[in-house]
Structures are given as structure tokens and as C-alpha cells.
Amino acid sequence: MTVMPADLSGIDVRAEIERLRKERNAVILAHYYQRPELQDIADFVGDSLELSRKAAETDAEVIAFCGVKFMAETAKILSPNKIVVLPDVEAGCSLEDSCPPEKFKAFREAHPDHIALTYINCSTEVKALSDIIVTSSSAETILQQIPADQKIIFGPDRHLGGYLSRKFGREMLLWPGVCIVHEAFSETELLKLKAQHPAAPIAAHPECPPHIVDHADYVGSTSGILQYAKTTDADTLIVATEPHIIHQMQLAIPNKTFIGAPGADGNCNCNICPYMALNTMEKLYVALRDLEPRIEIEEQLRLDAKKSLDRMLDMASGTLGKGDLGTR
Ligand code: 13P
Ligand code: SF4
């Protein structure tokens, strides 16, 4: 159940967050899909891979994670001695919901000669059942390190898996999950927008379905899209991912124009992630004040999930040899 902050009138929430951040020795991490005010107050804003790395490295005693539950759980898996709080514990993810651990386990057991390459957008239980975790910015590097004859299950995002499969000509068994946000972009509306701005390239996240990705000039993670926005010569960019990332683009490149790709209604509001939007400044303040809602993970489960995450962190930096993979 979502905990609504009690009446906070009269409280300078921003000043209180600043005070508590110091008092608690806390670091505030935020994903690019968070509200602008949360991005602005965070110590670090990043994509899923960058945030995992920050969570593993930080010296802070408390991690206040402005993102969704699987991200905060990843922080706890990697930094078990730190207190990890998530401003709204209901901040889930449609991809995680699409992949119940018992069904994933049965799927794995039905394909014993496959390794499970699993998108980080999943539960801790599914991470524990997986061989290697990937994010959208590490997936290509990691896939290329897996021997060509190794059979692969990819879950839970069938669009990211399908994109990788097409790009590398690699067959994979795909779990049928989707991100409800990226699924909502409309090809018809995107093409209408493109006709109005023919010189504007399209940057798309690989969680988008093929009918969107196929029109993109650039496909990549949130940090990849941000980098593309900075480096493209175009002065207008069409952005096919959750529109809150546009805040970072406007801060970094104020002289360019960024247009969110539309949903079926012709505007991009339906592409705001409803889970990410649950976090607010007020809830962040309460989380730092009460050190709740706190992420807790049973130790054996944490250790099992950490193996697949550690493999990602090693392989993403190229330190694990090609022969080190094995089926479970
Ligand atoms: P990245 O920031 O890793 O590209 O992930 C996008 C996303 O959907 C996170 O939920
Ligand atoms: Fe999950 Fe999609 Fe929201 Fe990311 S944007 S948290 S993948 S529902």
C-alpha cells in the first residue's frame, strides 16, 4: 500500500531533504525517468547500469533510490550493509510483473541447455534464477562475449531481446514481457510527427516495439540517447522513450529542441511511466526522515541474485573471460 505523507504544510521539503542528506550520510540516486525536481536534488542521475555501479561504490550509509523497486533492490543486493530506501514502495515495473519467479523457473527447467540472460528489470528472485543480468547499455557488449553456440533464454523484455536478436543475428528464446510505457508509442503518430520535422532524427529506447525502433536513427539506453542528443548535428530530436529524460537534455543542450514521441492520442503524456511517477519530493523527504520504506532481502536470496549481477558488472567492463560462462 502506498504510504501518503502526512500533512507537510509548513515544512520546507527541499531544505529538509538537504539537512537529512547530510545528517544521515545519505546519497540520493535518481533515474532519468524521475520528475525533474528529483533529478535536480539527486547526487547522481543515471541509467540502470550507472546507478548499479554508483550503488556498489558509494561510501554513504544510506541510499535513497529515486527509481523503481527492482533498482532499489539491486542497490541492496550490491550494498547489503547500507540502508536502502525507496520513496514509494509501490513503484514497480510492468516487466517485473510479467515474469513471476515460479513461471520463469519452470521455463528454465524446460530448457536446461540454455543460459538465462536477463534484463535487470526483474525481481530479485528472477535475478537469482538467472546466469547474467544485462541493462540496455550493457546488453550488446555482454551478448558478444557469449559463445556463438551457447543457447540463450532472454527475459523478460521481448522487445529488447528481439532487437538484440535481429541486430546480432542470434536466435534467443524470448520471454513475452513488455514495458507498458514504450509499448504505447504510436507508429502512425510518430510518422506524422516526422513529416512535420523531416530533419529531426529519431532516438528510441530498445524497449520500444520493432515498428518504432525500425524508424529510429539511434537506438540505445537512456544514457546512450542522452549522449546522442549531445553529439548529433541536428538541432531538433524526436525522443522515443519516457519523456522525463528530456529534462537532462534541456539542461545539457538548451539550444536544441526535443520532442517526445507521441502515443496513440497524439501527445506523449501516456508515455509517462506511472511507476516512476509515484516518487515525489515529499515522499523522498519522509523516506530520509523515517528511513522507510526500506528494502530488505533475505541473505541467501541476495547472494544468489548477486552472482548474476556481478557477472554483468564484470562483463560490462570486459574483465570476465569468454570461457567463464556456464549453464546453471
Ligand atoms: P535504462 O536507463 O538502463 O536505459 O533503462 C530504462 C528503463 O526502462 C528503466 O526502467
Ligand atoms: Fe518498467 Fe517501463 Fe517504467 Fe522502466 S519505463 S520502470 S521498464 S514500466
PDB file of all heavy atoms in Angstrom, residues 31-33 46-49 68 70-71 119 121 135-137 182 205 207 221-223 276, ligand 1:
ATOM      1  N   HIS A  31      16.921   7.965 -11.334  1.00  0.00           N
ATOM      2  CA  HIS A  31      16.901   7.538 -12.741  1.00  0.00           C
ATOM      3  C   HIS A  31      16.412   8.705 -13.606  1.00  0.00           C
ATOM      4  O   HIS A  31      15.707   9.598 -13.131  1.00  0.00           O
ATOM      5  CB  HIS A  31      15.984   6.316 -12.913  1.00  0.00           C
ATOM      6  CG  HIS A  31      16.075   5.715 -14.281  1.00  0.00           C
ATOM      7  ND1 HIS A  31      15.207   6.048 -15.298  1.00  0.00           N
ATOM      8  CD2 HIS A  31      16.966   4.838 -14.805  1.00  0.00           C
ATOM      9  CE1 HIS A  31      15.557   5.391 -16.391  1.00  0.00           C
ATOM     10  NE2 HIS A  31      16.623   4.646 -16.124  1.00  0.00           N
ATOM     11  N   TYR A  32      16.788   8.662 -14.886  1.00  0.00           N
ATOM     12  CA  TYR A  32      16.402   9.719 -15.825  1.00  0.00           C
ATOM     13  C   TYR A  32      14.886   9.858 -15.991  1.00  0.00           C
ATOM     14  O   TYR A  32      14.417  10.849 -16.553  1.00  0.00           O
ATOM     15  CB  TYR A  32      17.000   9.444 -17.208  1.00  0.00           C
ATOM     16  CG  TYR A  32      18.491   9.609 -17.285  1.00  0.00           C
ATOM     17  CD1 TYR A  32      19.302   8.565 -17.745  1.00  0.00           C
ATOM     18  CD2 TYR A  32      19.103  10.808 -16.939  1.00  0.00           C
ATOM     19  CE1 TYR A  32      20.675   8.714 -17.854  1.00  0.00           C
ATOM     20  CE2 TYR A  32      20.473  10.964 -17.033  1.00  0.00           C
ATOM     21  CZ  TYR A  32      21.261   9.915 -17.491  1.00  0.00           C
ATOM     22  OH  TYR A  32      22.609  10.074 -17.588  1.00  0.00           O
ATOM     23  N   TYR A  33      14.119   8.863 -15.589  1.00  0.00           N
ATOM     24  CA  TYR A  33      12.665   8.934 -15.756  1.00  0.00           C
ATOM     25  C   TYR A  33      11.965   9.572 -14.539  1.00  0.00           C
ATOM     26  O   TYR A  33      10.736   9.593 -14.479  1.00  0.00           O
ATOM     27  CB  TYR A  33      12.071   7.544 -15.966  1.00  0.00           C
ATOM     28  CG  TYR A  33      12.490   6.812 -17.227  1.00  0.00           C
ATOM     29  CD1 TYR A  33      12.234   5.453 -17.366  1.00  0.00           C
ATOM     30  CD2 TYR A  33      13.106   7.470 -18.280  1.00  0.00           C
ATOM     31  CE1 TYR A  33      12.599   4.757 -18.521  1.00  0.00           C
ATOM     32  CE2 TYR A  33      13.482   6.782 -19.425  1.00  0.00           C
ATOM     33  CZ  TYR A  33      13.223   5.431 -19.537  1.00  0.00           C
ATOM     34  OH  TYR A  33      13.579   4.741 -20.666  1.00  0.00           O
ATOM     35  N   GLY A  46      21.276   8.794 -13.488  1.00  0.00           N
ATOM     36  CA  GLY A  46      21.879   7.906 -14.480  1.00  0.00           C
ATOM     37  C   GLY A  46      20.932   6.864 -15.011  1.00  0.00           C
ATOM     38  O   GLY A  46      19.738   6.829 -14.672  1.00  0.00           O
ATOM     39  N   ASP A  47      21.485   5.984 -15.854  1.00  0.00           N
ATOM     40  CA  ASP A  47      20.715   4.849 -16.367  1.00  0.00           C
ATOM     41  C   ASP A  47      20.879   3.666 -15.404  1.00  0.00           C
ATOM     42  O   ASP A  47      21.570   3.773 -14.379  1.00  0.00           O
ATOM     43  CB  ASP A  47      21.107   4.516 -17.814  1.00  0.00           C
ATOM     44  CG  ASP A  47      22.468   3.839 -17.961  1.00  0.00           C
ATOM     45  OD1 ASP A  47      23.138   3.565 -16.938  1.00  0.00           O
ATOM     46  OD2 ASP A  47      22.869   3.553 -19.107  1.00  0.00           O
ATOM     47  N   SER A  48      20.274   2.540 -15.742  1.00  0.00           N
ATOM     48  CA  SER A  48      20.262   1.412 -14.801  1.00  0.00           C
ATOM     49  C   SER A  48      21.669   0.894 -14.501  1.00  0.00           C
ATOM     50  O   SER A  48      21.970   0.537 -13.358  1.00  0.00           O
ATOM     51  CB  SER A  48      19.412   0.267 -15.366  1.00  0.00           C
ATOM     52  OG  SER A  48      18.150   0.735 -15.711  1.00  0.00           O
ATOM     53  N   LEU A  49      22.534   0.861 -15.485  1.00  0.00           N
ATOM     54  CA  LEU A  49      23.899   0.363 -15.260  1.00  0.00           C
ATOM     55  C   LEU A  49      24.687   1.346 -14.400  1.00  0.00           C
ATOM     56  O   LEU A  49      25.329   0.963 -13.422  1.00  0.00           O
ATOM     57  CB  LEU A  49      24.616   0.132 -16.601  1.00  0.00           C
ATOM     58  CG  LEU A  49      26.057  -0.371 -16.485  1.00  0.00           C
ATOM     59  CD1 LEU A  49      26.112  -1.757 -15.856  1.00  0.00           C
ATOM     60  CD2 LEU A  49      26.747  -0.405 -17.858  1.00  0.00           C
ATOM     61  N   VAL A  68      12.626   2.762  -9.414  1.00  0.00           N
ATOM     62  CA  VAL A  68      11.606   1.758  -9.122  1.00  0.00           C
ATOM     63  C   VAL A  68      12.207   0.623  -8.285  1.00  0.00           C
ATOM     64  O   VAL A  68      13.416   0.560  -8.067  1.00  0.00           O
ATOM     65  CB  VAL A  68      10.928   1.236 -10.409  1.00  0.00           C
ATOM     66  CG1 VAL A  68      10.060   2.327 -11.027  1.00  0.00           C
ATOM     67  CG2 VAL A  68      11.939   0.731 -11.403  1.00  0.00           C
ATOM     68  N   PHE A  70      12.867  -2.602  -8.529  1.00  0.00           N
ATOM     69  CA  PHE A  70      13.967  -3.501  -8.898  1.00  0.00           C
ATOM     70  C   PHE A  70      15.305  -2.762  -8.842  1.00  0.00           C
ATOM     71  O   PHE A  70      16.346  -3.370  -8.615  1.00  0.00           O
ATOM     72  CB  PHE A  70      13.718  -4.150 -10.277  1.00  0.00           C
ATOM     73  CG  PHE A  70      13.961  -3.240 -11.465  1.00  0.00           C
ATOM     74  CD1 PHE A  70      15.250  -3.010 -11.937  1.00  0.00           C
ATOM     75  CD2 PHE A  70      12.906  -2.637 -12.122  1.00  0.00           C
ATOM     76  CE1 PHE A  70      15.476  -2.181 -13.030  1.00  0.00           C
ATOM     77  CE2 PHE A  70      13.117  -1.804 -13.201  1.00  0.00           C
ATOM     78  CZ  PHE A  70      14.410  -1.568 -13.661  1.00  0.00           C
ATOM     79  N   MET A  71      15.299  -1.449  -9.039  1.00  0.00           N
ATOM     80  CA  MET A  71      16.540  -0.668  -8.968  1.00  0.00           C
ATOM     81  C   MET A  71      17.011  -0.552  -7.517  1.00  0.00           C
ATOM     82  O   MET A  71      18.204  -0.709  -7.224  1.00  0.00           O
ATOM     83  CB  MET A  71      16.333   0.735  -9.544  1.00  0.00           C
ATOM     84  CG  MET A  71      15.993   0.736 -11.025  1.00  0.00           C
ATOM     85  SD  MET A  71      15.719   2.413 -11.620  1.00  0.00           S
ATOM     86  CE  MET A  71      15.526   2.070 -13.369  1.00  0.00           C
ATOM     87  N   TYR A 119      17.230  -9.245 -18.373  1.00  0.00           N
ATOM     88  CA  TYR A 119      17.197  -7.785 -18.236  1.00  0.00           C
ATOM     89  C   TYR A 119      17.041  -7.437 -16.755  1.00  0.00           C
ATOM     90  O   TYR A 119      16.279  -8.090 -16.033  1.00  0.00           O
ATOM     91  CB  TYR A 119      16.008  -7.267 -19.053  1.00  0.00           C
ATOM     92  CG  TYR A 119      15.981  -5.787 -19.333  1.00  0.00           C
ATOM     93  CD1 TYR A 119      17.151  -5.034 -19.447  1.00  0.00           C
ATOM     94  CD2 TYR A 119      14.757  -5.137 -19.516  1.00  0.00           C
ATOM     95  CE1 TYR A 119      17.093  -3.673 -19.728  1.00  0.00           C
ATOM     96  CE2 TYR A 119      14.693  -3.780 -19.803  1.00  0.00           C
ATOM     97  CZ  TYR A 119      15.871  -3.052 -19.902  1.00  0.00           C
ATOM     98  OH  TYR A 119      15.817  -1.712 -20.183  1.00  0.00           O
ATOM     99  N   ASN A 121      15.418  -5.354 -15.308  1.00  0.00           N
ATOM    100  CA  ASN A 121      14.040  -5.017 -14.920  1.00  0.00           C
ATOM    101  C   ASN A 121      13.279  -6.297 -14.561  1.00  0.00           C
ATOM    102  O   ASN A 121      12.398  -6.754 -15.289  1.00  0.00           O
ATOM    103  CB  ASN A 121      13.311  -4.306 -16.068  1.00  0.00           C
ATOM    104  CG  ASN A 121      13.971  -3.008 -16.478  1.00  0.00           C
ATOM    105  OD1 ASN A 121      15.197  -2.890 -16.472  1.00  0.00           O
ATOM    106  ND2 ASN A 121      13.169  -2.020 -16.840  1.00  0.00           N
ATOM    107  N   THR A 135      21.722  -4.689 -18.723  1.00  0.00           N
ATOM    108  CA  THR A 135      20.899  -3.477 -18.830  1.00  0.00           C
ATOM    109  C   THR A 135      20.885  -3.120 -20.314  1.00  0.00           C
ATOM    110  O   THR A 135      21.635  -3.714 -21.111  1.00  0.00           O
ATOM    111  CB  THR A 135      21.497  -2.306 -18.034  1.00  0.00           C
ATOM    112  OG1 THR A 135      22.730  -1.951 -18.658  1.00  0.00           O
ATOM    113  CG2 THR A 135      21.735  -2.665 -16.583  1.00  0.00           C
ATOM    114  N   SER A 136      20.127  -2.098 -20.668  1.00  0.00           N
ATOM    115  CA  SER A 136      20.104  -1.767 -22.099  1.00  0.00           C
ATOM    116  C   SER A 136      21.450  -1.210 -22.564  1.00  0.00           C
ATOM    117  O   SER A 136      21.784  -1.321 -23.739  1.00  0.00           O
ATOM    118  CB  SER A 136      18.956  -0.820 -22.437  1.00  0.00           C
ATOM    119  OG  SER A 136      18.848   0.172 -21.473  1.00  0.00           O
ATOM    120  N   SER A 137      22.244  -0.649 -21.642  1.00  0.00           N
ATOM    121  CA  SER A 137      23.548  -0.156 -22.115  1.00  0.00           C
ATOM    122  C   SER A 137      24.647  -1.214 -22.063  1.00  0.00           C
ATOM    123  O   SER A 137      25.695  -1.027 -22.675  1.00  0.00           O
ATOM    124  CB  SER A 137      23.971   1.120 -21.385  1.00  0.00           C
ATOM    125  OG  SER A 137      23.971   0.947 -20.018  1.00  0.00           O
ATOM    126  N   HIS A 182       6.902   2.023 -23.232  1.00  0.00           N
ATOM    127  CA  HIS A 182       7.454   2.021 -24.590  1.00  0.00           C
ATOM    128  C   HIS A 182       6.508   1.353 -25.590  1.00  0.00           C
ATOM    129  O   HIS A 182       6.539   1.653 -26.784  1.00  0.00           O
ATOM    130  CB  HIS A 182       8.837   1.352 -24.585  1.00  0.00           C
ATOM    131  CG  HIS A 182       9.859   2.190 -23.867  1.00  0.00           C
ATOM    132  ND1 HIS A 182      10.028   2.119 -22.508  1.00  0.00           N
ATOM    133  CD2 HIS A 182      10.718   3.137 -24.318  1.00  0.00           C
ATOM    134  CE1 HIS A 182      10.963   2.988 -22.149  1.00  0.00           C
ATOM    135  NE2 HIS A 182      11.404   3.619 -23.224  1.00  0.00           N
ATOM    136  N   HIS A 205      14.473   4.002 -27.434  1.00  0.00           N
ATOM    137  CA  HIS A 205      14.971   3.008 -26.467  1.00  0.00           C
ATOM    138  C   HIS A 205      14.651   1.609 -27.020  1.00  0.00           C
ATOM    139  O   HIS A 205      13.572   1.424 -27.624  1.00  0.00           O
ATOM    140  CB  HIS A 205      14.277   3.230 -25.117  1.00  0.00           C
ATOM    141  CG  HIS A 205      14.977   2.562 -23.982  1.00  0.00           C
ATOM    142  ND1 HIS A 205      14.846   1.215 -23.737  1.00  0.00           N
ATOM    143  CD2 HIS A 205      15.837   3.041 -23.052  1.00  0.00           C
ATOM    144  CE1 HIS A 205      15.596   0.904 -22.665  1.00  0.00           C
ATOM    145  NE2 HIS A 205      16.206   1.986 -22.244  1.00  0.00           N
ATOM    146  N   GLU A 207      13.488  -0.836 -25.609  1.00  0.00           N
ATOM    147  CA  GLU A 207      12.250  -1.402 -25.062  1.00  0.00           C
ATOM    148  C   GLU A 207      11.057  -1.109 -25.979  1.00  0.00           C
ATOM    149  O   GLU A 207       9.968  -1.643 -25.780  1.00  0.00           O
ATOM    150  CB  GLU A 207      11.955  -0.819 -23.669  1.00  0.00           C
ATOM    151  CG  GLU A 207      12.882  -1.340 -22.574  1.00  0.00           C
ATOM    152  CD  GLU A 207      12.624  -0.685 -21.221  1.00  0.00           C
ATOM    153  OE1 GLU A 207      11.589  -0.020 -21.061  1.00  0.00           O
ATOM    154  OE2 GLU A 207      13.474  -0.827 -20.334  1.00  0.00           O
ATOM    155  N   SER A 221      20.226   2.897 -24.768  1.00  0.00           N
ATOM    156  CA  SER A 221      19.744   3.104 -23.395  1.00  0.00           C
ATOM    157  C   SER A 221      19.476   4.587 -23.156  1.00  0.00           C
ATOM    158  O   SER A 221      19.812   5.441 -23.991  1.00  0.00           O
ATOM    159  CB  SER A 221      20.825   2.639 -22.421  1.00  0.00           C
ATOM    160  OG  SER A 221      21.955   3.478 -22.562  1.00  0.00           O
ATOM    161  N   THR A 222      18.957   4.902 -21.990  1.00  0.00           N
ATOM    162  CA  THR A 222      18.697   6.316 -21.675  1.00  0.00           C
ATOM    163  C   THR A 222      19.992   7.129 -21.750  1.00  0.00           C
ATOM    164  O   THR A 222      20.004   8.213 -22.333  1.00  0.00           O
ATOM    165  CB  THR A 222      18.046   6.463 -20.285  1.00  0.00           C
ATOM    166  OG1 THR A 222      18.808   5.731 -19.324  1.00  0.00           O
ATOM    167  CG2 THR A 222      16.617   5.955 -20.299  1.00  0.00           C
ATOM    168  N   SER A 223      21.084   6.594 -21.182  1.00  0.00           N
ATOM    169  CA  SER A 223      22.338   7.368 -21.233  1.00  0.00           C
ATOM    170  C   SER A 223      22.854   7.453 -22.669  1.00  0.00           C
ATOM    171  O   SER A 223      23.427   8.465 -23.074  1.00  0.00           O
ATOM    172  CB  SER A 223      23.403   6.773 -20.311  1.00  0.00           C
ATOM    173  OG  SER A 223      23.621   5.444 -20.648  1.00  0.00           O
ATOM    174  N   MET A 276       7.374   5.168 -12.011  1.00  0.00           N
ATOM    175  CA  MET A 276       8.398   6.171 -11.690  1.00  0.00           C
ATOM    176  C   MET A 276       7.746   7.433 -11.109  1.00  0.00           C
ATOM    177  O   MET A 276       8.307   8.086 -10.234  1.00  0.00           O
ATOM    178  CB  MET A 276       9.180   6.546 -12.956  1.00  0.00           C
ATOM    179  CG  MET A 276      10.036   5.430 -13.521  1.00  0.00           C
ATOM    180  SD  MET A 276      11.646   5.437 -12.717  1.00  0.00           S
ATOM    181  CE  MET A 276      12.478   4.120 -13.609  1.00  0.00           C
TER     182      MET A 276
HETATM  183  P1  13P B   1      17.990   2.339 -18.915  1.00  0.00           P
HETATM  184  O1  13P B   1      18.015   3.628 -18.134  1.00  0.00           O
HETATM  185  O2  13P B   1      19.022   1.404 -18.386  1.00  0.00           O
HETATM  186  O3  13P B   1      18.093   2.575 -20.378  1.00  0.00           O
HETATM  187  O4  13P B   1      16.568   1.649 -18.609  1.00  0.00           O
HETATM  188  C1  13P B   1      15.373   2.181 -18.989  1.00  0.00           C
HETATM  189  C2  13P B   1      14.231   1.732 -18.163  1.00  0.00           C
HETATM  190  O5  13P B   1      13.166   1.459 -18.605  1.00  0.00           O
HETATM  191  C3  13P B   1      14.391   1.650 -16.746  1.00  0.00           C
HETATM  192  O6  13P B   1      13.232   1.164 -16.210  1.00  0.00           O
END
